[in-house]
Amino acid sequence: MKKLSVLAVLILACVFANAQNTTIKGKIIDKKTSEAVMFANVMNVSDTSKKATLINGTTTNDNGEFILQVKKPNVVLKFSSLGYAEAIKTIKVSDYPKTNNTIDIGTITLETNSENLEEVSIIAKQTRIEMNNDKIVLNIDDGLTATSANAFEMLRKVPGVVIDKDENITLNGKSGILFQLNGRDIRVPYDVIKSILKGMSPNDIAKIETITNPSAKYEAEGTAGIINIIMSQEKADGISGSLSSWNGVNEDFRSFNNMSLSYVDKKWTITAGGGFGAMNGRVSTETDQYIWTPFGDTIRFQSEKADSKNKFRYYNFDFSADYNINDKNTIGAMFVYSGNNSPDFWQDPQRMFISKNPYTTIDSSYSILNKSYYRSNDYMGSLYFTHKTDTLGGEISASFDINSNSSLNESTSKTNYFNGNFNDLKRQEDLFNDANNEYSSYAFSFDVNKPFGEKMNLEFGVKSRLAIVDNDFKAYKNDNLDSERTNQLKYKENVNAGYVSFSHRPNDKFSWRAGLRFEHTYTSIDQKATNDKITDNYFDLFPNLNVSYRVGKMDNVSLTYSYRISRPDYNSLNPFRVKLSDYNYSSGNPDLMPEYTHKLDLNYAFHYMLFFTASYSYSDNEINQVMLTTPNSIVITQKPMNTGYSQQASIGLSTMLPLGPVEWTIWMQGVYSQMKSDNALLRTNIERFAFTTWQSLTIDFFWKTQLSFSGFYMSGGVQMGGEFDDMFMLSASLSKDFLNKALKISIGVDQLPKRDFNAYTHYNNYKGSMSVCWQRPQFTFNISYNIGKGGANNQSKRRNNDMDDRKSGKSSIGQGGGSPMGM
């Protein structure tokens, strides 16, 4: 067989092909097995000769189906796929009955090529960033995995995602995020989500979706939207597997090691995997805080820059099995276990200086010596069933999901208080906190998707979710139980929901989707130590609307509106007061109310290569961390509160430019943010414009290696009731395949350059600044080996759990039609 190095040219020709007058659809199957041939090429050519020119083309979807638009009354179609003999079919359009200007040519069969296959060289690049109406998709490739230790660090490379020094995540400047794995909610505390993602190999991830306006089918939770991590689920027939090891070195060493094994046949798709690893790191922090007291004094708290070291050890295991009962019914199960711990060790001492205006003399000071121990065991399980009701994509599905976590968190601090500048010891204090946490979440969902022909679609369903928390917190002071700060909290949250969504495509240009979701929420907070019980009971309606129109032949514009909620997690509601020093405490707030957001997105796709976006959001009852001062004292308590409202307007551009051996991916966004609060404890009005860009270059280098660069820049922004300065990060990697692409080795550098992150807060009688360094350059080495992958006659099987649930190789209903290649 001739080398297929012209495949990239073919793909580009197809992408830029003009939309035509008649739509042809059909299906390609294997002549011997009658199985669908996925990702086969369907080419509309000028004639049947070997020198025929290409007019346009497409590829088949997971079910072997294709849709192609043509112009001429007589059409020559050429069908090809790796490992199959080429087939040609001449079609006279007038010989077929038309329905809405569409003809169905039925089933096309391909025969297995009996000739020995020569070495095949395929040149086809995967677009790193794709943009649809309501989401941005980051496709994971070698350049990204080479410099990412795990899935959590991979999020730093996702456009719009920012991770701060405390490992809090924001999406487009907002913190209310719902996390999903393969389209299924991860319903555990955020600290547990971090642990799961840190134990997940980037080599096992296919793509990461950030969805700002999901349809009514999905929970309204998450004012910022959804981050959905899609695992690599394409497996070759028979047995296959992989081994991978990622290692990073800077001032510390990190290593993440994973393996997976799968078996696939006509009935079963079974995968299992596991991993272990260790991560050592450090964060340097320096703070400067001012408090205006009721007595007219201004007190300054200034800390020395000190390193905070961290250690993380993980081990995980996952298993999934799908069984095709018949052509219409599929059952499956998934189980994930993640265990991790942070060994205890004494940190470097932190020193704080306290002075009064004009701050020339240190009045008092203190130093804190800390150590902590954390252990967590996390479980996720799912059972699901799908029944296909027709050939148009109709189906009935049901699932039952369990999330469970048990954790132990111990912290010890030794504090010395001084008069003056560490020269006169006043007092010593030993504090010990012991927190045992048990968390469980149970969810059942039932969904129906009913197409009415090819133009209308109805979705409806119900979901019920119950979360139960038991948090037992014990505080000790100088080895004695501190009864004032010891408590036990039991928390329940029950959300019952239903939804209906209807979509209609009256013609090839216009489509719309309207949905409504209702959710009833019941919460209960029970404090055993004080016998206090707080309950809440509320009902909400969440509308969702999408309108899409295709302009001309290859341009598309869409408008989407959604209304979403962000409920406080139990950690924010937990009233336990944790003492850090005589002057610093942290606490939850059981009186927190949910945060609500209206979101409007406008998207324009030009030739399916340039994507322009504009959006506006308004959030009420916004939840922010606030530094509260105790009346008639200089004690500060950090506490979450509903502070007021925020609004955000943005405009963005995304594109991928193929420049010969170079692929340049660009994502950029300008954002105006305002946060305003008239709360008596926080009066502020912050307005700021920020520019953000994420760019990457992928180069086909000499010796069949791939050189990759990526960079992120943000000019600053508004977050958690304050402002922060610019952020900047670069990474580079060099990758090469060996042993017919079974072995892959990558080396790289990441987190360039070393620099500080600066944040500021100013409201009421408090002003603070913080300088943090957690970005330190590191050298990375990544090696992976695939077992049993590929093969000319192997067809892939894939569970389709992503947000779109596309049925026809292109996004049509509610999307205004897809590109000729089904992008």
Side-chain angles (χ1 to χ4, degrees):
M1 178 180 289
K2 293 181 180 180
K3 290 188 176 182
L4 301 178
S5 60
V6 297
L7 183 56
V9 178
L10 173 63
I11 292 176
L12 288 175
C14 294
V15 170
F16 286 102
N18 290 329
Q20 307 297 328
N21 296 330
T22 302
T23 300
I24 296 177
K25 68 177 183 177
K27 182 176 182 179
I28 301 179
I29 65 172
D30 185 300
K31 184 175 181 180
K32 183 178 180 180
T33 66
S34 296
E35 291 186 352
V37 180
M38 294 181 280
F39 315 122
N41 296 315
V42 181
M43 295 166 281
N44 177 17
V45 294
S46 58
D47 52 63
T48 58
S49 69
K50 293 183 178 180
K51 297 182 179 181
T53 58
L54 174 69
I55 299 174
N56 66 333
T58 187
T59 58
T60 58
N61 64 6
D62 292 2
N63 299 318
E65 301 164 344
F66 67 87
I67 296 177
L68 179 67
Q69 292 181 323
V70 298
K71 187 174 183 179
K72 296 181 179 180
N74 296 318
V75 181
V76 178
L77 296 181
K78 185 180 292 187
F79 309 93
S80 67
S81 184
L82 188 62
Y84 290 93
E86 196 172 70
I88 296 178
K89 185 179 181 67
T90 301
I91 296 170
K92 189 175 182 180
V93 174
S94 59
D95 290 343
Y96 293 85
K98 283 187 179 182
T99 303
N100 297 320
N101 214 29
T102 299
I103 67 171
D104 188 347
I105 64 172
T107 301
I108 308 297
T109 60
L110 294 183
E111 294 188 46
T112 303
N113 195 338
S114 59
E115 299 178 2
N116 292 329
L117 294 174
E118 300 175 2
E119 182 181 356
V120 177
S121 176
I122 299 177
I123 302 175
K125 295 181 180 179
Q126 182 184 39
T127 302
R128 271 194 177 176
I129 295 181
E130 299 176 36
M131 184 174 291
N132 292 319
N133 288 351
D134 54 8
K135 69 180 178 182
I136 295 175
V137 181
L138 178 68
N139 292 304
I140 307 304
D141 57 23
D142 298 336
L144 295 174
T145 59
T147 54
S148 301
N150 48 52
F152 185 78
E153 292 198 4
M154 179 71 74
L155 291 177
R156 298 184 189 272
K157 298 176 171 60
V158 176
V161 173
V162 174
I163 302 177
D164 67 15
K165 63 100 179 175
D166 296 318
E167 297 187 332
N168 297 308
I169 297 180
T170 59
L171 175 60
N172 295 326
K174 299 190 68 65
S175 59
I177 301 172
L178 173 64
F179 289 87
Q180 292 187 333
L181 180 63
N182 291 338
R184 301 186 181 281
D185 298 346
I186 305 178
R187 286 291 178 184
V188 288
Y190 174 66
D191 287 343
V192 180
I193 292 175
K194 288 195 301 183
S195 299
I196 293 173
L197 297 180
K198 286 180 179 179
M200 188 180 297
S201 170
N203 293 287
D204 293 333
I205 301 174
K207 57 186 176 181
I208 299 177
E209 301 175 336
T210 56
I211 307 107
T212 57
N213 270 321
S215 70
K217 176 179 179 179
Y218 301 94
E219 281 203 44
E221 179 71 31
T223 55
I226 296 174
I227 294 180
N228 184 24
I229 298 174
I230 305 294
M231 306 301 290
S232 300
Q233 296 172 330
E234 294 186 6
K235 306 296 181 182
D237 284 351
I239 298 176
S240 61
S242 67
L243 301 169
S244 66
S245 177
W246 187 97
N247 302 275
V249 180
N250 47 26
E251 301 170 40
D252 302 286
F253 177 75
R254 295 185 286 175
S255 180
F256 295 81
N257 309 278
N258 291 269
M259 67 173 295
S260 64
L261 192 65
S262 68
Y263 171 77
V264 176
D265 61 21
K266 292 182 179 179
K267 290 289 187 179
W268 287 97
T269 300
I270 302 174
T271 64
F276 64 93
M279 179 177 71
N280 300 325
R282 65 186 66 204
V283 176
S284 300
T285 307
E286 182 180 11
T287 63
D288 196 5
Q289 304 172 81
Y290 297 84
I291 299 175
W292 288 265
T293 71
F295 315 106
D297 296 328
T298 304
I299 309 298
R300 182 186 189 187
F301 290 82
Q302 185 181 22
S303 71
E304 287 183 338
K305 196 160 192 174
D307 280 356
S308 175
K309 301 176 182 178
N310 56 75
K311 296 182 179 180
F312 177 78
R313 308 289 182 264
Y314 86 91
Y315 31 91
N316 60 28
F317 172 77
D318 63 87
F319 174 83
S320 66
D322 286 9
Y323 178 70
N324 295 322
I325 301 173
N326 49 44
D327 292 340
K328 293 186 176 182
N329 299 290
T330 301
I331 59 174
M334 178 184 73
F335 173 78
V336 177
Y337 166 75
S338 175
N340 62 85
N341 66 80
S342 297
D344 59 336
F345 60 95
W346 288 105
Q347 300 279 3
D348 294 338
Q350 295 178 310
R351 292 157 54 96
M352 182 73 73
F353 306 92
I354 305 174
S355 59
K356 295 181 181 179
N357 192 15
Y359 322 121
T360 54
T361 303
I362 304 300
D363 296 304
S364 60
S365 54
Y366 65 90
S367 66
I368 302 178
L369 198 63
N370 289 305
K371 74 172 182 178
S372 62
Y373 172 75
Y374 178 78
R375 183 186 70 235
S376 176
N377 292 288
D378 317 305
Y379 306 87
M380 295 174 56
S382 294
L383 296 173
Y384 42 90
F385 169 78
T386 301
H387 169 70
K388 295 181 180 179
T389 58
D390 52 51
T391 59
L392 296 174
E395 66 177 31
I396 299 173
S397 61
S399 67
F400 178 68
D401 302 305
I402 299 177
N403 292 265
S404 179
N405 160 259
S406 62
S407 63
L408 171 66
N409 195 339
E410 298 176 345
S411 63
T412 304
S413 66
K414 295 180 178 293
T415 308
N416 293 327
Y417 296 93
F418 298 86
N419 291 313
N421 191 359
F422 294 96
N423 51 21
D424 182 14
L425 180 63
K426 289 194 304 183
R427 180 169 54 90
Q428 293 180 315
E429 183 177 70
D430 293 342
L431 299 177
F432 176 73
N433 296 324
D434 181 7
N436 282 278
N437 181 73
E438 300 288 337
Y439 174 94
S440 299
S441 175
Y442 310 91
F444 172 78
S445 61
F446 178 81
D447 302 284
V448 177
N449 182 64
K450 175 59 180 175
F452 295 93
E454 296 184 351
K455 293 185 174 297
M456 292 186 290
N457 196 78
L458 177 66
E459 288 184 284
F460 59 91
V462 295
K463 182 174 183 177
S464 180
R465 175 173 56 84
L466 174 66
I468 302 174
V469 177
D470 187 350
N471 192 312
D472 190 3
F473 180 81
K474 292 183 175 63
Y476 295 85
K477 180 178 179 180
N478 297 327
D479 296 326
N480 297 314
L481 184 67
D482 188 345
S483 59
E484 291 185 359
R485 294 189 295 112
T486 295
N487 205 342
Q488 182 178 10
L489 177 140
K490 292 182 179 292
Y491 174 73
K492 291 183 180 180
E493 180 181 86
N494 180 219
V495 180
N496 296 297
Y499 74 93
V500 60
S501 179
F502 180 78
S503 54
H504 182 212
R505 181 164 54 93
N507 54 54
D508 292 338
K509 289 184 174 294
F510 177 73
S511 63
W512 60 274
R513 182 193 69 214
L516 182 65
R517 185 178 185 89
F518 61 87
E519 294 186 352
H520 173 264
T521 305
Y522 170 80
T523 61
S524 171
I525 301 175
D526 189 4
Q527 299 181 60
K528 296 299 181 182
T530 59
N531 291 321
D532 292 334
K533 188 169 184 178
I534 302 173
T535 61
D536 200 1
N537 189 8
Y538 53 94
F539 177 85
D540 293 297
L541 293 174
F542 300 97
N544 183 284
L545 178 66
N546 173 273
V547 179
S548 184
Y549 184 77
R550 192 173 69 211
V551 183
K553 297 179 179 180
M554 299 250 337
D555 302 340
N556 191 77
V557 61
S558 66
L559 182 67
T560 306
Y561 164 79
S562 69
Y563 182 52
R564 300 187 63 77
I565 185 174
S566 184
R567 301 177 181 87
D569 61 50
Y570 85 91
N571 282 319
S572 298
L573 295 169
N574 195 329
F576 301 165
R577 195 163 183 252
V578 180
K579 182 177 182 179
L580 306 177
S581 73
D582 283 353
Y583 309 99
N584 298 92
Y585 291 79
S586 65
S587 171
N589 182 1
D591 297 322
L592 281 178
M593 297 181 293
E595 177 182 333
Y596 294 91
T597 297
H598 297 271
K599 185 79 184 302
L600 193 66
D601 284 341
L602 178 67
N603 296 272
Y604 177 68
F606 176 76
H607 277 59
Y608 296 96
M609 281 198 63
L610 288 173
F611 299 91
F612 299 92
T613 64
S615 68
Y616 172 80
S617 66
Y618 177 91
S619 298
D620 198 15
N621 288 338
E622 186 171 66
I623 300 173
N624 285 304
Q625 292 287 337
V626 178
M627 298 294 188
L628 301 176
T629 55
T630 303
N632 301 321
S633 75
I634 56 174
V635 175
I636 301 173
T637 300
Q638 180 174 310
K639 185 177 182 178
M641 294 187 62
N642 296 105
T643 56
Y645 75 86
S646 68
Q647 56 182 341
Q648 186 180 88
S650 68
I651 185 168
L653 168 68
S654 174
T655 187
M656 188 279 288
L657 302 176
L659 308 171
V662 179
E663 178 187 279
W664 184 16
T665 302
I666 304 170
W667 178 85
M668 59 181 63
Q669 185 181 57
V671 180
Y672 164 80
S673 301
Q674 181 194 31
M675 193 203 79
K676 186 174 182 179
S677 173
D678 292 324
N679 191 299
L681 299 174
L682 191 155
R683 297 187 186 277
T684 187
N685 185 9
I686 301 174
E687 295 181 83
R688 184 156 183 174
F689 177 82
F691 173 76
T692 305
T693 183
W694 188 98
Q695 301 189 30
S696 70
L697 280 176
T698 303
I699 306 170
D700 290 332
F701 218 42
F702 53 83
W703 297 329
K704 295 185 178 180
T705 59
Q706 188 177 77
L707 185 62
S708 180
F709 300 92
S710 64
F712 164 80
Y713 174 75
M714 174 180 283
S715 63
V718 177
Q719 180 182 337
M720 302 300 291
E723 299 179 79
F724 60 89
D725 284 346
D726 68 320
M727 302 175 66
F728 176 63
M729 188 179 294
L730 288 173
S731 64
S733 68
L734 183 67
S735 305
K736 181 171 175 56
D737 296 326
F738 301 90
L739 304 179
N740 196 23
K741 295 190 176 183
L743 177 66
K744 185 181 299 295
I745 297 177
S746 302
I747 58 174
V749 289
D750 191 24
Q751 299 185 166
L752 298 170
K754 180 180 179 179
R755 67 196 306 263
D756 290 345
F757 169 79
N758 300 307
Y760 312 92
T761 305
H762 188 188
Y763 47 81
N764 288 15
N765 61 335
Y766 175 84
K767 178 181 178 180
S769 65
M770 177 184 297
S771 178
V772 185
C773 178
W774 76 92
Q775 179 178 318
R776 290 180 168 88
Q778 64 177 345
F779 170 79
T780 63
F781 174 74
N782 186 12
I783 182 171
S784 61
Y785 183 73
N786 294 326
I787 306 168
K789 297 274 185 178
N793 296 320
N794 283 334
Q795 295 299 321
S796 298
K797 296 188 177 182
R798 178 171 60 187
R799 294 191 305 274
N800 190 10
N801 287 327
D802 66 353
M803 294 291 294
D804 286 327
D805 202 20
R806 293 177 174 88
K807 304 297 180 183
S808 60
K810 70 173 185 178
S811 179
S812 56
I813 297 295
Q815 305 281 333
S819 71
M821 290 296 292
M823 291 177 61

